[in-house]
Amino acid sequence: MTGIEAPQTTREIRQPKKRTSLLRSATWPARISMVILAIICVLAVIGPWITPHDPAQIDVTRALLPPFTSDPGFYLLGTDNLGRDIFSRLIVGSRISILVGVLGVAVAGVIGVTIGIVAGYFGGWVDAVLMRIVDAFLSIPTILLILAVLAILNPGVTTLIIVLGLTTWVIYARQVRNEVLEIRERLFVKAARTFGSGNFFIATRHILVNVIPTFVVLSTLSVAALIVTESSLSFLGLGIQPPDVSWGLMLTGGRDYLATAWWVSTFPGLAITLTVLCILFIGDWLRGHLDPRLKATV
């Protein structure tokens, strides 16, 4: 009996484990967030062609109309102080708000990941110099640094993306550097050095691919943070400038009418809150899925 059962046990051991797909492992909050975020992104792409009204058309005779008003056109979310349709402006404004968040993270990620890999891989004086630069950036409040730069430069979409990227890269640099310090001591990196692989090859083919999960998790959370930052800067008048539309700029336009026309600021604020919550739920799920240390504790 033992001789018959042994091969059976061996086959069972050698049987490959079924891998759970990325989407199937998602929690329900993450799945719902992905659907909502996908709808927002689609609206951001095709928004200018499906808006019920011209988002830039001013008609003071229809100013501050409440939601669900027909006068004679239908205004789902009402109008602002200049008579512009809030629903149409929300759709158009989503493009700039999401674009600033995504491209700002892209700029910060490229700078931060590169510096983090170089500092962690080479170590020594290179690591010391780069980390002191990171410490210098961390010692300055981010919002204060952004305000100082934007006060000198001309505010705009491109300027805002570059400034946000150049002031938030330190998060990636420090986290990636800590990951690389551990990865460079693994056997496959030492084997690559033994076989004569160059530093650039090792950094791109062995180290970079292993820090991508960390970057993905950080970037999802950073997109949410940059959307909020863009809204704050636009609210202060240093972010997106008219005639461009963003959710933060819409908030600014409605701050004087909170008591009499709550919908002017409420709906842009809800759009920001919903988008940021969706991104945070997705980021939290990705962190649990991609981080092996968290998997081990489940």
Side-chain angles (χ1 to χ4, degrees), residues 10 21 30 45 74 106 112 145 159 174 192 207 237 242 247-248 271 274 290:
T10 306
S21 66
V45 173
F74 181 67
L145 183 60
T159 303
R174 183 169 286 279
I207 293 180
W247 293 336
L274 180 63
L290 297 176

Side-chain angles (χ1 to χ4, degrees), residues 208-255:
L208 178 61
V209 295
N210 282 280
V211 300
I212 285 178
T214 300
F215 169 72
V216 170
V217 173
L218 284 175
S219 62
T220 53
L221 302 177
S222 296
V223 168
L226 290 190
I227 289 176
V228 174
T229 303
E230 179 274 322
S231 303
S232 303
L233 293 171
S234 297
F235 186 81
L236 295 173
L238 291 173
I240 305 303
Q241 302 295 311
D244 294 325
V245 185
S246 75
W247 293 336
L249 194 61
M250 294 177 68
L251 276 174
T252 305
R255 62 184 175 184

Side-chain angles (χ1 to χ4, degrees), residues 7 28 49 75 77 117 127 133 154 179 193 232-234 249:
W28 279 110
W49 294 279
Y75 296 94
L77 302 181
I117 290 177
D127 181 30
I133 295 174
N154 292 324
E179 293 279 341
R193 288 200 200 99
S232 303
L233 293 171
S234 297
L249 194 61

Side-chain angles (χ1 to χ4, degrees), residues 256-269:
D256 296 330
Y257 305 96
L258 290 174
T260 56
W262 55 266
W263 56 89
V264 179
S265 289
T266 299
F267 291 118

Side-chain angles (χ1 to χ4, degrees), residues 71-295:
D71 187 36
F74 181 67
Y75 296 94
L76 179 64
L77 302 181
T79 60
D80 62 8
N81 58 311
L82 296 177
R84 297 170 296 190
D85 181 40
I86 292 177
F87 180 64
S88 300
R89 289 175 66 79
L90 272 180
I91 294 176
V92 175
S94 63
R95 171 179 292 189
I96 290 181
S97 294
I98 294 176
L99 188 69
V100 168
V102 172
L103 293 185
V105 163
V107 173
V110 170
I111 299 172
V113 170
T114 302
I115 292 177
I117 290 177
V118 171
Y121 180 74
F122 289 102
W125 68 268
V126 176
D127 181 30
V129 171
L130 291 177
M131 286 302 102
R132 296 302 74 76
I133 295 174
V134 169
D135 292 339
F137 270 87
L138 288 174
S139 65
I140 305 173
T142 304
I143 190 66
L144 183 62
L145 183 60
I146 294 173
L147 288 173
V149 175
L150 288 177
I152 299 171
L153 302 176
N154 292 324
V157 178
T158 304
T159 303
L160 192 58
I161 291 172
I162 295 173
V163 170
L164 290 176
L166 293 177
T167 53
T168 57
W169 60 269
V170 291
I171 305 171
Y172 302 93
R174 183 169 286 279
Q175 187 64 37
V176 168
R177 177 252 186 188
N178 294 336
E179 293 279 341
V180 174
L181 286 175
E182 188 269 331
I183 294 171
R184 72 176 185 178
E185 301 301 326
R186 293 183 185 176
L187 289 177
F188 63 87
V189 176
K190 292 181 178 180
R193 288 200 200 99
T194 303
F195 285 105
S197 298
N199 291 328
F200 182 78
F201 180 85
I202 295 174
T204 54
R205 294 293 298 273
H206 295 292
I207 293 180
L208 178 61
V209 295
N210 282 280
V211 300
I212 285 178
T214 300
F215 169 72
V216 170
V217 173
L218 284 175
S219 62
T220 53
L221 302 177
S222 296
V223 168
L226 290 190
I227 289 176
V228 174
T229 303
E230 179 274 322
S231 303
S232 303
L233 293 171
S234 297
F235 186 81
L236 295 173
L238 291 173
I240 305 303
Q241 302 295 311
D244 294 325
V245 185
S246 75
W247 293 336
L249 194 61
M250 294 177 68
L251 276 174
T252 305
R255 62 184 175 184
D256 296 330
Y257 305 96
L258 290 174
T260 56
W262 55 266
W263 56 89
V264 179
S265 289
T266 299
F267 291 118
L270 288 175
I272 295 169
T273 303
L274 180 63
T275 304
V276 170
L277 276 177
C278 289
I279 295 173
L280 290 177
F281 280 132
I282 295 172
D284 185 63
W285 158 64
L286 284 175
R287 180 170 174 265
H289 185 85
L290 297 176
D291 195 334
R293 291 168 296 186
L294 293 179
K295 285 183 182 179

